Amino acid sequence: MNALEESDLQVLRKTYSLSRYLLGSLTGLIAIALFASTNSVFAQTLPETEELFRTGKYAECIKIADAEIESGFHSQEWPLLKIRCEMLLGRYSDAAETVKKARIPHANSIRLLWLDRDVRRFNGNSDGAKEILAEIAAKIERLRWMYRDPDSLIIIGNFFLEIGVDAKQVRLEVFKQIQQAQPKFVESYLAGAELALEKNDYALAAEDFQKALKLDENNPRILYGLSRAFESSDSEKAQQYLNRTLEINPHHLPSLLFVAEKHLQAERYEETEQVLESILKINPAHPNAWALRAVLAHLESDVIKETFYREQALKHWRDNPEIDSLIGQHLSQKYRFAEGAAAQRRALEFDAEYLPAKIQLSNDLLRLGNEEAGWKLAEEVFEQDNYNVVAYNLSMLQDHMKKFRTLQGDGFIVRMDAQEAEIYGSRVLALLQEARQVLCSKYNVELKETIAVEIFPRQQDFAIRTFGLPGGAGFLGVCFGNVITMNSPASQGNSPSNWEAVLWHEFCHVVTLSKTKNKMPRWLSEGISVYEERQRNPAWGQSITPSYREMILGEDLTPVSDLSGAFLRPPSGEHLMFAYYESSVVVEYIVETLGMDVLVAILDDLAKGLPINYAITRHMGPVEQVDERFAEYIRSRATNFGATADFSRDKLPKQADSTGWKTWLEDHPDNYWGLQQHALALIREKKWEEARTPVNRLLELVPDYAGEGSPLLLDARVSRELGETEREVAVLNQLAETNSDAVDVYRRLTEYYTVQEDWSAVIANANRILSVNPLQPEPYRILAEAGERSGDHEAAIRGLKTLTLMDPFDPADVHFRTAQLYEQQGQLEEARKHVLYALEEAPRYRAAHELLLLVIEQMSAKALEKQEAAE
């Protein structure tokens, strides 16, 4: 083969018959080759030198390797090691010279050729790197008998991946076969694991990395790979692997970059810069380090620095698509989707087939609401690489979403399951329109683009649409700017959250992200949304709890200046929820002490590109003082919560019955946890009268607390068992006013008020149930009956019409009652339609026939009146 032009390279990538032929030949070779001896005779210093490489002593490795090469020792391992070290240190021209000399005695080394590919790229010779692919193809075709060692076979597998052979095929027919034939060959597991990691197949990557770790437990490359593989599923384990990597090799550049990226995600920008400086001390030309510096400069709105840093990143390999793709990926993580998409397009200008940029651009476009182009790109990636997990997931999701129904109204497009759209789609649109009116006015925002809301009945579909991969447990909704994705109540199991509160929360993100042009820290964005939930409905959002009190007064309070970090690696789910709560209290503090205008002014500064701490300083004073004042504010709130209660846990008995708790409480009469456990023990023992004593004391200590473990819930239970119905109902009403998803409370209240024939209260509580789960028929039956009994035709019709969609036990009766209500309101066409539905179900339904005749008579009379009026 001759040197490749770009068009030739595309032909090579697509020459499936050639790839298939080569791969078939390789499969035969593996069976022959892997049982041959692969032991080479190396100089005694090679293992020691490789240990220096492993521990990051790259310059020392170069000196030793150079000396061995000069001494005439002709093993290719020495120049290979030297080149790897020179590349890691950014000595690209030195690496080129080493390759040049090494190719004289090792002209047919495919491993040397593969290194030469990157050496040429980083010496500004991309065309020369393409020539290498042609040369490798020619050598595999002519000299396949030479490449029987596993190291060379790994290179051949990577070559096939480069020219576009199916990745799963390469994994199974190359890497997997090497693993099976030589189970102690570490590189084969690394090749498979790193391929899986590249394709976002984290479980399979972890499996192969762990197999490699059993063979080589102190290999930084393996440990780093495990850290990446576990990052999304077990952050604690991932951190342990990362720490171990850097203990062995403090100069391990991929791990240091990983650390820098994590600081960047947590908005710890000073720490990010410090790590990047340490990387650039090792390799002053490291392209990815310069790329991350460009991201930092972008976030600081410093265009000059951003341009300079990007140029430095591309200085040695001018058309490296990874640089802009990496920049764009991190901009998108900061919700700068438009800027991120622009960066991916720049990457694709360098290499139109660079799939990481394609799939990221697909996600960016979907999050920007450009769905047609986004889905098309995802399909292209999946056609080119069906092992790309994100592309596969998006392809499957698109098929599911084709069955969705689209609702439109007043600047909104809502996509949701067709049946769910029929059941509560109108409520979704009504709440969005209310939120737009209230929040846009409050924050001085004019939304010029249509807002898309997608509601998923399957949690997995929500996760794939939102994150590209399954997972995302705990997320109820996500806002990307003009696009909101949400779990529907159907996806949340038996205890769904209040979907109205979630939708209000996410739409508030639309408003604040629009106002700041997506330039706001996560803590402030979340804090405003939780704060606005409480403003809309006191039962929504979050309020202080005994656990939050403990965290505030303990060591879990995060300074305002570092709040985004609290969302990145929370020690537990409770810590994450506390981060939301604390952020909302910061917003409340700003509004209460300085006014809404200050909060809006801070958002305006963010829109101009000012860093959050600088914006805070401009309007609230030095950020250190803000940290101190806010800490005093929230600690005062925590201290006032249960001010006379004892919340200590250190002396609590591990196990006790009601008698044991009573005895313990003699010395700790106001201990919240002891009183709670005493009450619960008495309730379990059905000692209702005795339970009243600890419950009453709890109510005195924390009278307004309605969260998990609230004494109000205990009081309601005890009151009900004692037949104290009025007290029970009073307590339940208090809970209903302060708890957004207490479905059992709402049900009990509907039962009580139905008996009392207080139909307005019944309707109110039925609507509360629907705000949590609108997919069950029970609240609609309640609405229908209450509406009919009270004369509230709107509520009755709403309940009955929805019941018709939910396979009612007696559909004829439901349609007939609906028709009656429409007839009474003079909506004769709707009445006729529903009475016909009733007769379709029960053709001999006499009352329905009579109603149909009545409706037809009225319709005829109206038509006659209209005709006479026209004449």
Side-chain angles (χ1 to χ4, degrees), residues 601-622:
I602 289 172
L603 297 181
D604 286 334
D605 278 357
L606 293 175
K608 297 171 186 174
L610 297 181
I612 179 59
N613 287 346
Y614 183 71
I616 286 175
T617 299
R618 272 171 49 89
H619 300 285
M620 300 177 64

Side-chain angles (χ1 to χ4, degrees), residues 565-582:
F567 289 87
L568 184 65
R569 290 267 189 296
S572 67
E574 185 173 36
H575 282 81
L576 176 61
M577 297 312 297
F578 177 66
Y580 280 89
Y581 171 70
E582 183 187 343

Side-chain angles (χ1 to χ4, degrees), residues 35-68:
F35 297 98
S37 172
T38 57
N39 294 325
S40 301
V41 179
F42 298 128
Q44 288 184 342
T45 54
L46 184 60
E48 290 89 343
T49 310
E50 288 177 333
E51 187 61 27
L52 291 174
F53 177 85
R54 177 176 295 209
T55 55
K57 299 179 177 64
Y58 306 125
E60 293 179 42
C61 287
I62 291 173
K63 289 181 182 179
I64 297 171
D66 208 25
E68 292 293 334

Side-chain angles (χ1 to χ4, degrees), residues 426 468 648 695:
S426 60
S648 61
V695 168

Side-chain angles (χ1 to χ4, degrees), residues 93-321:
S93 58
D94 292 348
E97 187 63 26
T98 305
V99 169
K100 182 179 178 182
K101 291 179 181 178
R103 290 201 61 179
I104 297 172
H106 307 293
N108 290 320
S109 170
I110 199 169
R111 294 167 64 198
L112 184 60
L113 275 175
W114 193 250
L115 275 181
D116 191 13
R117 172 171 157 272
D118 271 345
V119 170
R120 293 189 184 200
R121 285 170 168 172
F122 281 96
N123 279 280
N125 186 8
S126 293
D127 290 337
K130 295 167 190 172
E131 292 174 5
I132 293 293
L133 291 176
E135 189 172 349
I136 290 174
K139 287 186 182 298
I140 294 172
E141 199 168 3
R142 293 198 310 267
L143 304 172
R144 67 188 70 171
W145 56 271
M146 291 187 63
Y147 308 120
R148 298 187 172 191
D149 62 288
D151 285 308
S152 294
L153 294 177
I154 294 292
I155 299 300
I156 292 172
N158 286 325
F159 166 76
F160 286 139
L161 292 171
E162 176 68 19
I163 66 172
V165 174
D166 179 74
K168 286 184 179 178
Q169 190 179 6
V170 173
R171 175 180 171 81
L172 292 175
E173 298 188 30
V174 181
F175 302 149
K176 194 68 176 177
Q177 288 200 33
I178 300 174
Q179 292 172 13
Q180 291 171 351
Q182 287 204 349
K184 294 186 178 181
F185 182 56
V186 173
E187 288 295 322
S188 64
Y189 298 107
L190 278 168
E194 288 170 348
L195 174 59
L197 197 62
E198 178 188 335
K199 304 302 181 184
N200 302 298
D201 192 346
Y202 299 118
L204 192 55
E207 182 181 326
D208 272 355
F209 277 127
Q210 286 171 326
K211 290 176 182 176
L213 190 66
K214 291 178 181 178
L215 300 171
D216 191 356
E217 62 182 15
N218 292 318
N219 188 323
R221 185 174 159 199
I222 299 171
L223 292 163
Y224 163 73
L226 281 165
S227 180
R228 295 302 297 253
F230 281 106
E231 176 65 15
S232 61
S233 61
D234 190 337
S235 59
E236 184 176 348
K237 183 180 287 187
Q239 188 63 47
Q240 290 171 357
Y241 283 124
L242 185 60
N243 292 342
R244 178 68 181 139
T245 306
L246 291 170
E247 285 174 11
I248 295 169
N249 183 355
H251 296 154
H252 191 255
L253 292 173
S255 294
L256 290 171
L257 277 167
F258 193 22
V259 172
E261 288 177 319
K262 292 202 287 187
H263 283 313
L264 182 58
Q265 290 170 15
E267 300 176 16
R268 296 190 291 264
Y269 299 137
E270 290 183 9
E271 291 90 338
T272 307
E273 178 59 33
Q274 289 169 6
V275 177
L276 294 179
E277 284 181 10
S278 69
I279 293 171
L280 292 171
K281 285 180 182 177
I282 300 167
N283 179 354
H286 199 291
N288 290 17
W290 284 109
L292 292 184
R293 274 191 161 175
V295 174
L296 288 175
H298 182 98
L299 297 175
E300 294 172 355
S301 301
D302 192 330
V303 178
I304 295 175
K305 280 187 178 180
E306 180 184 3
T307 303
F308 173 74
Y309 293 151
R310 178 177 177 271
E311 285 297 315
Q312 290 297 112
L314 293 167
K315 182 177 180 180
H316 297 278
W317 179 2
R318 296 298 305 172
D319 54 357
N320 182 359

Side-chain angles (χ1 to χ4, degrees), residues 323-625:
I323 298 307
D324 283 314
S325 186
L326 181 65
I327 290 171
Q329 174 191 335
H330 283 284
L331 291 178
S332 295
Q333 286 177 356
K334 299 299 181 185
Y335 279 46
R336 314 286 179 91
F337 299 114
E339 296 96 321
Q344 301 305 335
R345 288 192 175 99
R346 292 196 300 269
L348 291 170
E349 287 174 7
F350 289 144
D351 182 353
E353 301 302 315
Y354 189 64
L355 297 188
K358 265 192 177 182
I359 195 63
Q360 182 63 48
L361 179 57
S362 168
N363 270 310
D364 287 340
L365 294 175
L366 289 173
R367 290 163 180 169
L368 287 166
N370 189 349
E371 300 211 346
E372 182 178 355
W375 290 123
K376 183 179 178 182
L377 268 177
E379 288 175 5
E380 286 181 16
V381 175
F382 184 57
E383 287 174 5
Q384 291 177 264
D385 180 10
N386 60 21
Y387 187 22
N388 188 301
V389 174
V390 174
Y392 170 80
N393 287 336
L394 289 175
S395 176
M396 296 299 101
L397 174 63
Q398 186 181 16
D399 290 341
H400 292 159
M401 292 189 66
K402 286 177 181 176
K403 302 173 185 176
F404 278 19
R405 179 167 298 176
T406 299
L407 308 175
Q408 293 183 322
D410 193 22
F412 293 100
I413 293 179
V414 178
R415 299 183 184 90
M416 57 194 301
D417 174 83
Q419 185 176 19
E420 290 192 17
E422 289 282 351
I423 292 171
Y424 70 104
S426 60
R427 286 188 67 160
V428 171
L429 281 172
L431 187 67
L432 285 168
Q433 288 159 2
E434 179 193 347
R436 181 180 191 135
Q437 182 178 2
V438 171
L439 296 173
C440 288
S441 173
K442 190 171 187 178
Y443 288 90
N444 302 325
V445 170
E446 180 182 358
L447 296 176
K448 298 180 180 178
E449 296 185 28
T450 300
I451 308 304
V453 179
E454 297 171 355
I455 303 176
F456 296 90
R458 301 198 322 167
Q459 194 279 334
Q460 178 176 314
D461 287 348
F462 161 77
I464 290 169
R465 174 67 175 90
T466 305
F467 309 110
L469 295 167
F475 284 88
L476 300 175
V478 172
C479 172
F480 297 111
N482 292 326
V483 176
I484 293 171
T485 60
M486 270 182 60
N487 275 304
S488 96
S491 69
Q492 298 179 47
N494 296 324
S495 55
S497 298
N498 189 303
W499 67 266
E500 291 185 340
V502 174
L503 186 57
W504 191 275
H505 177 108
E506 298 305 331
F507 181 76
C508 186
H509 284 312
V510 172
V511 174
T512 55
L513 289 173
S514 174
K515 185 171 185 64
T516 60
K517 302 176 183 176
N518 284 30
K519 299 177 182 179
M520 66 189 307
R522 181 176 177 185
W523 74 262
L524 184 57
S525 181
E526 298 294 357
I528 291 175
S529 284
V530 175
Y531 169 78
E532 288 298 347
E533 280 186 69
R534 289 199 296 265
Q535 297 302 301
R536 166 62 169 73
N537 187 332
W540 294 359
Q542 292 190 66
S543 57
I544 194 167
T545 69
S547 294
Y548 287 178
R549 178 190 185 279
E550 188 175 3
M551 296 168 84
I552 293 167
L553 299 178
E555 298 181 357
D556 292 302
L557 187 66
T558 305
V560 176
S561 55
D562 195 32
L563 254 177
S564 283
F567 289 87
L568 184 65
R569 290 267 189 296
S572 67
E574 185 173 36
H575 282 81
L576 176 61
M577 297 312 297
F578 177 66
Y580 280 89
Y581 171 70
E582 183 187 343
S583 299
S584 74
V585 179
V586 174
V587 174
E588 191 173 326
Y589 165 74
I590 294 171
V591 174
E592 279 190 8
T593 59
L594 298 169
M596 188 69 194
D597 290 346
V598 168
L599 178 62
V600 172
I602 289 172
L603 297 181
D604 286 334
D605 278 357
L606 293 175
K608 297 171 186 174
L610 297 181
I612 179 59
N613 287 346
Y614 183 71
I616 286 175
T617 299
R618 272 171 49 89
H619 300 285
M620 300 177 64
V623 71
E624 297 82 3
Q625 292 181 17

